[in-house]
Amino acid sequence: MALSDMPWTLIATGTVAIAALFISRTLAPVKDPQEPPFIPTSIPLIGHLLQLFRQGAAYLSAIDKTHHHGLYTLPILTGRLYIVNSPDWALAMHKAHKTLSFNTLVVQAMRAIFAFDKASMQVIEDNMNNERGDRSGILLEMHDMMFGAFVQQIDELNANFLECWTPHINALAPAGRNEPISLWYWLRHHFSIASAASLYGPESPLTLTPSLENDFWLFENSIGPLFSIPYPSVFLRKAYQARQRLFDAFTEYTELDRYKLPGTSRLIQTRAEMTLGQFGLTKRMFAQGELSMMFAAVVNTAPAAFWLLSYILADRELHAEVRAEIDRCVDIAGGESGGTRRRCVLNVTKLKTQSPLFNSALRETLRITATMNINRSVLEDTLLTNHSTGETFLVKKGSGLAIAANVMHFDKSVWGDDADVFNARRFLPTTEKSKGEGEGSRTADIAAAFRDAKGKLHSGAFRSFGGGNNVCPGRRFAQTEIQSVVALFVAGFEFDMPDDTTYKPPPSEGSKMIAGVSKPGVDVDVHARRRKGYEDVEWVCEM
């Protein structure tokens, strides 16, 4: 049969197949014998990329069910993405922190997500990976300042938040009234405004313009697309406009020197002094960069509080036990002179040190919902060694590396046969061990390694706050926020479903590659009412 007699579809198919084979052979990365196993894909170059866009982090779970590698390679386009699936390999990664960079990704975010201009990017990029060896430059100096502040100023930061949060909870369902609320929206909205006020003071942008809270979460939901889709003003118009309104509001806040007002946290004032004074960025660029601080303060803590409350409300036995623990941390005093409301004082330090089940439930909530995949950029060819198995693999310069926390947090060899379900008591051995080692009233680190019921320590398995050099500096502040918010709900309120059914946690919105704590896929409508005997109470928190 002559070529002219062949169906054009057959010719086209053959041409495409030959072209695809040529491209895959010439452009696809070639495996080095020392590299982790390559995971094959039916579509050369883009197969894994398409699945990551389609399934998000759930794709990593699907790969794990088929291949079971602790460390493997996804060839994507002309490069590689290495995936860490086991605690031992995560620890190996942390030991190689000098050549596995987080700041390279921060720089990309400042450009793509927070729209820094060229002059500011030059400042941000200076010595970003400590090339000079002196930890100078805005990224490293800001990192060191933040770590210090969250130790030295932690009591002040906690007190600021508690003072800003209690007016919101005291306004809920007053005078014995049943108040219908959408639980996730109510908590998200009031938590965001209180958190912003605790950091940015009485004239924070969200305090002056509460509608910015909706803009903030619309913007947050578009982080992934903002990284990858060009011309966001055209293709991501709503998110782009929401981001612009936030930029403008924080710029006005900065230009009017509102960060200098009494009530603004020292942390934010120091960030302003360093950014504007020491490093000479414009007020506009400082304002845009502060949205990254809002992300750190709110994006994970608000949904974590929602999920912890949801798991408690869904289990009557757990609710009763946790409420009893919280009640032991509450002192009830008479009303102030001339007033009628009693004061209930929640001691948050007691809450964190003398409520083992509540603390265990928080960590278990984070295990299930805070499965952030921790990403790094490989600066130099690096050998990673698993000290448990003795294996060594090469990760190549210019590649990406990610810890698949959504896989590790459900590994039955670590968490037990019930790893797929919520078990509020799972972290009790960790709490009891801390007691036995004489920690007394000192608050145990919420990011501490998991210890199972047999006493075995699983270092590197619990990833909700990262690990190594880049463990979250604000984790103790986040713990205070989450536990105080949930404790006041549990101690002071009852929540009824409109149809008198039992409360059930809603499904989550799904798994993303660039995401923090998962958010509910749908809201839950409830009727909030004051707990019997607490109808006239004004809640106060103290450390």
Side-chain angles (χ1 to χ4, degrees):
M1 182 172 62
L3 183 64
S4 59
D5 296 328
M6 295 177 67
W8 70 268
T9 52
L10 183 60
I11 297 173
T13 301
T15 302
V16 170
I18 293 170
L21 179 63
F22 173 77
I23 292 171
S24 65
R25 290 280 178 87
T26 56
L27 297 182
V30 177
K31 184 182 183 303
D32 187 293
Q34 290 184 286
E35 281 188 277
F38 272 40
I39 303 299
T41 175
S42 58
I43 306 177
L45 301 179
I46 62 171
H48 293 307
L49 187 63
L50 290 175
Q51 292 300 330
L52 288 170
F53 272 120
R54 184 179 302 160
Q55 300 184 46
Y59 182 51
L60 306 183
S61 298
I63 291 175
D64 180 64
K65 290 177 182 177
T66 304
H67 295 280
H68 308 296
H69 295 305
L71 174 62
Y72 61 83
T73 310
L74 296 180
I76 296 176
L77 300 177
T78 60
R80 301 156 169 82
L81 175 62
Y82 301 108
I83 303 297
V84 174
N85 253 5
S86 78
D88 291 334
W89 282 113
L91 294 175
M93 173 183 148
H94 292 320
K95 290 178 181 178
H97 64 87
K98 290 184 179 179
T99 56
L100 303 178
S101 171
F102 177 63
N103 282 349
T104 300
L105 304 178
V106 172
V107 166
Q108 294 173 9
M110 300 312 286
R111 180 185 294 112
I113 297 174
F114 301 105
F116 269 37
D117 58 28
K118 289 184 178 180
S120 299
M121 288 307 304
Q122 288 181 340
V123 176
I124 296 291
E125 292 169 353
D126 179 52
N127 201 41
M128 64 180 181
N129 291 311
N130 201 27
E131 293 85 354
R132 292 193 291 268
D134 59 1
R135 294 198 64 78
S136 62
I138 190 170
L139 285 185
L140 294 175
E141 293 186 49
M142 190 69 75
H143 171 276
D144 294 345
M145 183 279 291
M146 294 281 286
F147 263 87
F150 277 112
V151 174
Q152 298 160 11
Q153 301 172 29
I154 187 64
D155 289 342
E156 174 188 323
L157 290 165
N158 286 338
N160 280 356
F161 175 76
L162 297 172
E163 184 178 349
C164 291
W165 170 250
T166 48
H168 293 270
I169 202 75
N170 283 323
L172 178 62
R177 190 178 79 214
N178 279 15
E179 184 170 340
I181 61 171
S182 296
L183 188 57
W184 163 234
Y185 175 77
W186 191 99
L187 194 154
R188 187 198 81 181
H189 180 78
H190 292 277
F191 189 104
S192 301
I193 292 172
S195 189
S198 75
L199 292 169
Y200 293 94
E203 296 190 23
S204 82
L206 269 67
T207 300
L208 297 182
T209 311
S211 62
L212 287 172
E213 182 267 343
N214 282 325
D215 286 331
F216 175 81
W217 288 97
L218 175 58
F219 173 35
E220 183 275 336
N221 197 46
S222 303
I223 291 300
L226 283 168
F227 250 124
S228 55
I229 296 177
Y231 307 110
S233 61
V234 177
F235 297 111
L236 298 168
R237 189 165 182 78
K238 288 185 178 180
Y240 178 86
Q241 291 175 337
R243 183 180 71 171
Q244 200 60 42
R245 287 190 290 270
L246 288 161
F247 282 169
D248 292 343
F250 274 82
T251 298
E252 179 182 87
Y253 170 88
T254 307
E255 289 178 343
L256 295 177
D257 290 341
R258 287 173 176 157
Y259 62 90
K260 296 179 180 179
L261 293 175
T264 304
S265 67
R266 282 189 292 155
L267 175 64
I268 297 304
Q269 291 176 340
T270 303
R271 286 174 62 87
E273 290 166 5
M274 289 179 66
T275 305
L276 300 172
Q278 181 179 349
F279 292 100
L281 268 65
T282 65
K283 289 189 173 183
R284 179 79 185 184
M285 291 299 102
F286 166 73
Q288 293 181 190
E290 280 309 286
L291 282 179
S292 67
M293 186 65 194
M294 277 296 298
F295 271 61
V298 174
V299 164
N300 294 321
T301 44
F306 171 84
W307 289 119
L308 176 57
L309 179 60
S310 284
Y311 285 126
I312 292 171
L313 293 178
D315 185 329
R316 291 184 180 180
E317 181 180 342
L318 176 63
H319 183 272
E321 292 184 60
V322 168
R323 175 176 274 181
E325 284 189 342
I326 296 170
D327 284 347
R328 290 193 289 271
C329 302
V330 174
D331 291 322
I332 302 177
E336 298 178 356
S337 95
T340 59
R341 300 186 78 180
R342 294 178 301 154
R343 287 165 57 88
C344 276
V345 182
L346 174 67
N347 187 307
V348 179
T349 299
K350 281 186 179 180
L351 194 68
K352 293 196 286 186
T353 58
Q354 299 178 31
S355 304
L357 181 57
F358 189 34
N359 279 278
S360 178
L362 169 58
R363 295 187 194 196
E364 175 71 349
T365 298
L366 295 173
R367 180 187 73 86
I368 290 178
T369 65
T371 56
M372 290 83 81
N373 293 316
I374 300 157
N375 300 289
R376 296 291 183 268
S377 179
V378 183
L379 299 179
E380 302 290 344
D381 284 3
T382 302
L383 291 173
L384 301 180
T385 298
N386 185 322
H387 289 285
S388 293
T389 65
E391 293 176 286
T392 295
F393 285 125
L394 170 71
V395 293
K396 284 185 163 288
K397 178 181 178 179
S399 302
L401 189 151
I403 294 181
N406 67 304
V407 174
M408 291 168 56
H409 277 199
F410 296 92
D411 183 348
K412 292 183 179 180
S413 69
V414 173
W415 307 101
D417 291 339
D418 65 344
D420 292 334
V421 299
F422 179 85
N423 178 354
R425 291 164 173 78
R426 192 183 307 276
F427 283 83
L428 280 176
T430 306
T431 306
E432 294 304 316
K433 183 66 176 176
S434 297
K435 259 191 210 175
E437 291 173 347
E439 291 204 10
S441 62
R442 184 165 68 87
T443 304
D445 191 339
I446 192 173
F450 169 67
R451 189 180 299 273
D452 64 26
K454 296 179 181 178
K456 182 180 178 181
L457 199 66
H458 296 269
S459 298
F462 183 56
R463 311 299 314 174
S464 295
F465 293 96
N469 273 26
N470 292 107
V471 65
C472 175
R475 60 193 182 278
R476 293 180 178 86
F477 180 51
Q479 181 182 6
T480 296
E481 289 184 307
I482 296 166
Q483 287 194 286
S484 59
V485 166
V486 175
L488 292 182
F489 275 122
V490 173
F493 295 85
E494 307 287 0
F495 295 94
D496 304 312
M497 299 296 290
D499 56 1
D500 293 325
T501 58
T502 301
Y503 182 95
K504 292 182 180 179
S508 70
E509 66 175 0
S511 183
K512 301 178 182 178
M513 276 301 292
I514 302 177
V517 175
S518 62
K519 295 185 285 296
V522 295
D523 213 331
V524 183
D525 292 329
V526 297
H527 288 161
R529 57 185 170 88
R530 296 292 177 116
R531 177 184 175 187
K532 186 176 180 180
Y534 290 77
E535 295 89 347
D536 63 339
V537 157
E538 177 184 11
W539 287 95
V540 178
C541 295
E542 64 179 23
M543 295 303 297

